[in-house]
């Protein structure tokens, strides 16, 4: 395929740690094939070459935490045919959305020597709260197989296979012994969306919920199961208010088990 | 096989190892119970040395624990997280693969080499579950060729149950704890302070032929009685039960029972019950391509009626609520499976009870509906809510 026909890929960064973008570079074996199929038009993390808009596929990492970014995302949207959000920050506001439960001025005064240099919004919000999003990839960080699946679906004009069911499905497909039932370990798998391949239960620890809520999350029932297993309400608040603290089902669930002000 | 009484033998613990070795020599891949990650799972084994000697399990709703016994019994436990379905109806399977060509595409030849598998330690309830899957996947007009191929050469060593777990209810379902047919060999383990031996019955000629290669003696009337009473005792120890009389009609007339709302409050829609169930057979099909668009693949993998997209048909999801999904699952298992396949879809193995993180118990749900038959349905809800 000649370079001129290749779809133009752009990667954008908002408030984030860069881990999700790096998943793209982490594709090692597939990276050459990818470079042959898309032209990387804008990816500052990987290359200084910048091609002008429009872009066929934009991958957006990070959440909106500044007034400037709240404007910039509209520019990105305008220049992108397909816009895909990647990672917990872009899809749910990320770990930095913990500020949504507190007074951000208090944070800046503790953390920075000159808080008056800091110009930030009171909340961290998902990209979809600002512009229409075509597809999303969950995870903190995203899973590279899902990323490749999504890119190859977009290039080939088909639906990507991105499940919205629980982690338990993947856990059982790989034959893992349930850590909650057999080892008495707390696990968020039943309320969390699949996509990681159930890595944590596979390493004998409960799921941390980094892919956010599955499509029918019964957080109340799981909370009761944890409490019956002698877990403390505060622990439940902290596990729900984590990477996906601002994803609605997790946000509501966490708030039921206590106030973040006292953390 | 005719004249079964002449095909009953006793094999010592030592020679039982030889039986497995003989199967291996004959080219069978040995699959059986083994201890891993604090559970008795089914996996490839090398021989009797990999069996969970001296281990048992304790089960309750939402709980499973392995425990040491004070003897070295090989089969003194019940069923664990895996079932034989993982070897017969694979969790994930490529149905076909195609390469792009200049004028279309070419479907690749499939490697249809199938291992000859020997299943060691199939419980009576599981044997029935395999028969149920046979009916579903090969009993109609559209045969699942992959399942049929794997199933065809499977050699089955059943182990009769000499103890019942807390979540077992095979007696209610008429599936255990002693199997009468469907096996190549059926083993009853006899262990006490004086002896450790196996009363073995051959159910097929292949079974008899394998057994003939292993040192054995003919079972006496006393040996046979011993084996029978061991499973009779098990039948009296059932951890759970379901009243099955008129169960189909009971469930049909209680489609709007308030109990479905109560169970939906607890149900996590996590799918564990269906994944561990030895008869649940539903799959999803996914099409994938490589980046270059040169190869396409169609993959079939286990799916579950507890997933919302499972009921997606053009325009929307038919069962959006967990209430409708749980009701679909239980009613299918116990009621319209009879209409569809001529048997119950539940064999009473108890896995869905033990492995449900929320501890939801199918026997308790049925009992609650029966206790309040027709109760509280006057509100007249819409079926899919
Ligand atoms: S370990 Fe966690 S993810 Fe796996 S089946 Fe159990 S609850 Fe689900
Ligand atoms: S429904 Fe439950 S008890 Fe019945 S066969 Fe399936 S897993 Fe076993
Ligand atoms: S349900 Fe019956 S046949 Fe199955 S493991 Fe329990 S006792 Fe054995
Ligand atoms: S019944 Fe239990 S195992 Fe089944 S989907 Fe509901 S919570 Fe999960």
């Amino acid at each position: 395929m000649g370079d001129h026909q290749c779809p133009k890929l752009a990667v954008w960064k908002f408030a984030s740690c860069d881990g999700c973008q790096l998943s793209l570079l982490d594709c090692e074996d597939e990276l050459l094939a990818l470079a042959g199929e898309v032209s990387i038009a804008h990816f500052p993390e990987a290359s200084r070459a910048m091609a002008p808009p429009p872009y066929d596929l934009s991958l957006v990492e990070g959440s909106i935490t500044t007034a400037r970014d709240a404007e910039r995302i509209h520019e990105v949207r305008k220049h992108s045919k397909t816009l895909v959000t990647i990672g917990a920050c872009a899809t749910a506001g990320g770990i930095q959305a913990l500020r949504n439960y507190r007074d951000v001025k208090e944070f800046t005064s503790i953390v920075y020597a000159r808080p008056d240099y800091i110009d930030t919004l009171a909340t961290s919000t998902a990209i979809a709260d600002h512009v229409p999003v075509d597809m999303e990839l969950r995870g903190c960080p995203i899973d590279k197989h899902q990323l490749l699946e999504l890119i190859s679906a977009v290039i080939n004009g088909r639906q990507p296979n991105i499940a919205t069911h629980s982690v338990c499905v993947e856990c059982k497909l790989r034959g893992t012994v349930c850590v909650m039932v057999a080892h008495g370990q707390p696990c968020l798998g039943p309320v969390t969306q699949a996509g990681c391949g159930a890595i944590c239960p596979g390493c004998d620890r409960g799921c941390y919920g980094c892919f956010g809520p599955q499509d029918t999350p019964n957080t109340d029932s799981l909370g009761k199961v944890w409490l019956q297993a002698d877990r403390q309400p505060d622990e439940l608040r902290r596990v729900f208010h984590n990477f996906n603290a601002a994803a609605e089902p997790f946000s509501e669930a966490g708030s039921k088990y206590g106030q973040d002000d006292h953390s | 096989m005719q004249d079964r009484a002449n095909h009953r033998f006793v094999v010592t613990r030592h020679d039982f190892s030889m039986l497995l070795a003989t199967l291996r020599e004959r080219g069978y891949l040995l699959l059986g119970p083994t201890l891993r990650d604090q559970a008795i799972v089914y996996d490839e084994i090398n021989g009797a040395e990999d069996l969970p000697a001296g281990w048992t399990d304790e089960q309750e709703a939402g709980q499973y624990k392995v425990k040491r016994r004070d003897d070295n019994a090989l089969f003194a436990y019940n069923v664990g997280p895996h079932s034989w379905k993982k070897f017969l109806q694979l969790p994930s399977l490529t149905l076909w693969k195609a390469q792009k060509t200049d004028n279309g595409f070419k479907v690749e030849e499939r490697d249809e080499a199938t291992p000859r598998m020997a299943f060691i330690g199939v419980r009576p309830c599981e044997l029935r579950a395999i028969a149920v899957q046979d009916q579903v996947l090969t009993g109609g007009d559209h045969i699942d060729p992959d399942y049929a191929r794997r199933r065809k050469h499977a050699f089955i060593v059943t182990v009769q149950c000499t103890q019942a777990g807390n979540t077992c209810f095979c007696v209610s379902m008429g599936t255990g704890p002693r199997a009468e047919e469907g096996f190549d060999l059926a083993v009853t383990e006899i262990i006490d302070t004086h002896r450790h031996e196996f009363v073995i019955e051959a159910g097929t000629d292949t079974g008899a032929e394998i057994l003939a290669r292993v040192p054995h003696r003919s079972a006496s009337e006393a040996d046979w009685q011993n084996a029978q009473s061991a499973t009779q005792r098990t039948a009296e120890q059932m951890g759970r039960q379901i009243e099955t009389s008129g169960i189909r009609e009971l469930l049909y007339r209680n489609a709007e029972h308030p109990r479905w709302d109560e169970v939906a409050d607890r149900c996590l829609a996590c799918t564990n019950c269906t994944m561990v169930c030895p008869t649940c057979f539903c799959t999803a099909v996914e099409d994938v391509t490589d980046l270059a668009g040169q190869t396409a693949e169609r993959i079939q993998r286990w799916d579950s009626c507890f997933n919302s997209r499972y009921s997606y048909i053009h325009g929307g999801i038919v069962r959006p609520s967990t209430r409708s999904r749980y009701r679909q699952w239980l009613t299918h298992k116990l009621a319209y499976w009879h209409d569809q396949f001529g048997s119950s879809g539940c064999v009473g193995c108890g896995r869905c009870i033990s492995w449900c993180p929320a501890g939801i118990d199918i026997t308790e749900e049925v009992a609650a509906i029966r206790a309040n038959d027709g109760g509280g349905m006057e509100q007249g809800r819409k079926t899919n809510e």
Side-chain angles (χ1 to χ4, degrees), chain B residues 338-352:
Chain B
H338 288 278
D339 301 324
Q340 199 180 3
F341 303 114
S343 76
S344 170
C346 172
V347 299
C349 73
R351 283 186 181 85
C352 57

Side-chain angles (χ1 to χ4, degrees), chain B residues 74-352:
Chain B
L74 298 182
F75 299 107
Y77 56 87
N78 293 94
V79 293
H82 293 172
S83 77
W84 305 98
K85 122 176 142 177
K86 76 176 218 184
F87 303 117
L88 292 170
Q89 192 197 21
L90 301 185
S92 170
L93 172 73
T94 297
L95 295 176
W96 54 259
K97 206 172 179 177
Q99 288 290 339
K100 200 166 186 173
T101 59
D102 290 340
N103 46 9
F105 63 89
K106 186 174 178 299
V107 176
E108 282 181 12
E109 287 286 327
R110 271 186 64 158
D111 176 12
E112 297 197 336
T114 307
R116 281 181 359 134
M117 303 180 283
F119 296 165
I120 312 302
V122 177
R123 300 295 173 161
C125 59
E126 303 188 288
L127 194 59
R128 182 65 70 84
I130 293 172
V132 169
Q133 281 221 326
D134 288 350
Q135 171 63 23
V136 172
L137 297 170
T138 62
D141 292 340
H142 305 284
I143 288 171
D144 178 331
D146 194 76
Y147 178 92
R149 220 171 23 246
R150 291 169 175 281
R151 177 70 179 91
K152 192 168 165 204
H153 298 294
F155 184 93
I156 295 186
V157 180
T158 280
V159 170
Q160 312 284 21
C161 286
T162 50
Q163 65 166 59
N166 277 334
T167 54
C168 291
F169 57 102
C170 56
V171 168
S172 299
M173 306 315 291
T175 59
R178 167 167 289 279
E180 302 292 348
E181 56 180 21
F183 48 77
D184 293 286
L185 294 173
V187 175
T188 311
E189 182 172 30
I190 307 286
I191 187 166
D192 56 33
T193 40
H194 325 291
R195 58 188 163 168
H196 188 183
E197 54 192 24
F198 300 86
V199 176
I200 306 186
E201 193 185 356
T204 60
D205 292 337
T206 326
E209 197 191 308
I210 297 281
L211 196 55
R213 293 165 179 267
V214 178
H216 60 263
R217 62 174 166 88
S218 284
S220 66
E221 192 50 36
D223 291 323
W224 185 242
Q225 277 311 321
N226 234 331
Q228 294 276 19
S229 30
T231 46
Q232 262 151 31
R233 279 193 301 276
T234 306
E236 285 150 23
Q237 291 169 6
M238 282 293 119
R240 297 276 201 281
Q241 58 145 336
I242 285 191
E243 172 55 61
T244 55
S245 66
I247 197 163
R248 227 162 107 227
E249 296 68 28
L250 174 79
L251 292 169
Y252 285 155
R253 68 176 171 264
N254 283 288
E256 305 300 334
H257 199 283
R259 184 73 187 189
W260 303 119
D261 294 302
E262 289 163 38
V263 72
D265 282 346
R266 296 173 62 206
C267 177
L268 301 159
C270 68
T271 79
N272 277 303
C273 47
T274 51
M275 297 284 146
V276 295
C277 177
T279 68
C280 277
F281 58 85
C282 286
T283 51
V285 164
E286 287 172 353
D287 291 339
V288 294
T289 51
D290 67 343
L291 280 166
Q294 295 301 306
T295 329
E297 236 176 293
R298 175 161 289 183
I299 296 163
Q300 172 186 291
R301 61 157 181 86
W302 290 356
D303 198 3
S304 166
C305 52
F306 283 91
N307 288 336
S308 64
R309 287 197 193 160
Y310 173 88
S311 73
Y312 180 89
I313 52 170
H314 175 74
I317 288 163
V318 178
R319 295 188 202 103
S321 70
T322 302
R323 172 186 183 267
S324 60
R325 293 181 214 163
Y326 186 86
R327 184 182 59 185
Q328 142 66 26
W329 176 72
L330 186 141
T331 312
H332 188 206
K333 288 273 123 170
L334 296 169
Y336 66 87
W337 203 293
H338 288 278
D339 301 324
Q340 199 180 3
F341 303 114
S343 76
S344 170
C346 172
V347 299
C349 73
R351 283 186 181 85
C352 57

Side-chain angles (χ1 to χ4, degrees), chain A residues 1 30 33-34 37 148-149 151-153 155-156 158-166 168-169 171-178 180-184 189-191 204 214-222 224-225, chain B residues 36-39 41 62-65 81-82 91-92 264-272 275-276 285-294 301-304 306-309 320-322 325 354-358:
Chain A
M1 205 189 275
E30 299 86 355
L34 183 67
E37 298 309 319
L148 286 166
E149 163 61 11
I151 295 174
S152 100
I155 300 177
N156 292 296
R158 65 174 172 86
Q159 284 291 317
N161 296 294
I162 306 293
T164 57
H165 56 56
S166 73
C168 300
V169 176
C171 197
K172 284 290 185 281
L173 284 177
R174 60 184 278 173
T176 302
V177 173
C178 176
M180 195 145 67
V181 167
H183 308 163
V191 296
D204 195 20
Q214 63 129 313
D215 62 23
T216 320
N218 191 344
T219 51
D220 274 357
S221 174
L222 189 68
K224 281 184 193 140
V225 172
Chain B
R36 196 224 300 155
D37 298 331
Q38 302 167 55
V41 299
Q63 289 171 33
Y64 176 97
K65 263 198 174 48
H82 293 172
S92 170
D265 282 346
R266 296 173 62 206
C267 177
L268 301 159
C270 68
T271 79
N272 277 303
M275 297 284 146
V276 295
V285 164
E286 287 172 353
D287 291 339
V288 294
T289 51
D290 67 343
L291 280 166
Q294 295 301 306
R301 61 157 181 86
W302 290 356
D303 198 3
S304 166
F306 283 91
N307 288 336
S308 64
R309 287 197 193 160
S321 70
T322 302
R325 293 181 214 163
S354 300
W355 296 96
C356 171

